[in-house]
Every structure is written in structure tokens, then in C-alpha cells.
Amino acid sequence: MEQLLWLYALPYDPLYPLVCFDERPCFLIGDLVAPLALQPGQLRKEHYAYEKLGSCALLAAIEPLTGWRLAQVHARRTKREYTLFCQALAEAYPEALKIRLVQDNLNTHTPAAFYEYLPASEAFALAQRFEFYYTPKSASWLNMIEIEFSATATSRRRRALQLWRRLG
């Protein structure tokens, strides 16, 4: 924990950007009941019934000191998608000497994943672009992308609750 707090307290350095990464499952849902036509001056109304249309994985990162974000949506959450995301991060920071990457200890979040999908020389080069910092077990709340995910979910719940109160 102390290492992450120390890392977050460092001043911004474009040669060593701090990026927080995580992933989250998303569920794709559709309406079972056709929505009512939107009328001027009326709130949009949604029915509680829905159908499950599958799921996907949202991979996202935020650079806390600048607010820069990167997100990708994939059908699955595997080492392959992690490798693709890290490649995109490396491309986003061409001038960086090392990208300081804060992430959790999920089994796919390791530079070993690169070797499963890239030639050894490319995997090694990609791994060298990063300094990996792992959140302690049961302390993913130390990863600032978790705050972003939470704020987004809380905002959606708050809007839904306000709508429910107006309609109820």
C-alpha cells in the first residue's frame, strides 16, 4: 500500500507516466417491451423487463494526473486482450521511458501474457515499456481506475433513482 501511495504522490513526469488499469464485465441487455415514444417535456421511461443479450469486457485505464483515458471493449477477458491493451498503452506513450502501470493481481495481468501472443522479441520489448505495480490483495480500491468505475456506476444508479422518484 505504501508503495502505491508513494507513487501517487510523485509529480507528473511525461517520461514516466502513471497509468491505472483494470477491467470490468459488462452485461448487454435489451428491451422486452418497446419503449414509449419520447414526448416533448416528458422524461424518458424504461420498463424494468429486459433480455440478456450477452456480455463483454471493458478494459480501461486512466492517467490520474492528466485525466487521460483509454478504453477498449472485447468479447472476452483473456491474456490476449490484456496484451492488446498494453500494446495500445505503449503506442499512446511513444516518448515514455517507462509506463508505471497500476493494476490488480489477476492471473492475466502479467508480462508473461505477452509471450503467449507475441514473438519473444516483441513480448520482451513490450514488457520493457512498463513498470508493473500491483494492488495488494483485497485492496483494489487503491487503483484509481476503480474510483472511475465506481463513480460511473454510482452516477447511473443516482440518475435511475431520481427518475424512479419522479415517476413514483
Side-chain angles (χ1 to χ4, degrees), residues 26-134:
C26 296
F27 301 99
L28 309 173
I29 58 172
D31 293 322
L32 279 179
V33 177
L36 298 173
L38 192 59
Q39 301 294 324
Q42 296 289 320
L43 295 173
R44 185 176 82 171
K45 297 176 181 158
E46 294 181 10
H47 198 273
Y48 64 87
Y50 64 90
E51 65 177 323
K52 295 178 183 175
L53 299 174
S55 63
C56 63
L58 170 64
L59 283 68
I62 185 169
E63 186 180 7
L65 295 177
T66 66
W68 180 85
R69 292 165 175 81
L70 176 66
Q72 292 180 351
V73 176
H74 295 275
R76 299 174 45 198
R77 175 195 53 82
T78 67
K79 292 177 182 179
R80 178 184 172 276
E81 287 77 21
Y82 176 72
T83 299
L84 291 170
F85 194 87
C86 287
Q87 286 178 306
L89 270 178
E91 289 173 16
Y93 294 96
E95 305 298 320
L97 298 177
K98 290 277 188 180
I99 301 165
R100 294 171 169 156
L101 189 62
V102 174
Q103 57 188 358
D104 59 20
N105 284 295
L106 192 62
N107 66 338
T108 58
H109 297 171
T110 170
F114 305 160
Y115 288 88
E116 292 187 30
Y117 294 96
L118 300 172
S121 61
E122 288 180 40
F124 179 77
L126 183 59
Q128 294 308 300
R129 295 294 317 279
F130 295 94
E131 280 180 11
F132 297 97
Y133 294 87
Y134 295 96

Side-chain angles (χ1 to χ4, degrees), residues 132-151:
F132 297 97
Y133 294 87
Y134 295 96
T135 57
K137 190 173 181 174
S138 301
S140 63
W141 54 270
L142 284 169
N143 189 342
M144 290 193 186
I145 192 67
E146 288 286 341
I147 296 167
E148 184 87 0
F149 285 150
S150 177

Side-chain angles (χ1 to χ4, degrees), residues 11 15 35 60 80 107 126 157 159 165 167:
L15 297 178
R80 178 184 172 276
N107 66 338
L126 183 59
R157 281 193 300 269
R159 285 194 307 268
R165 286 181 177 154
L167 296 176

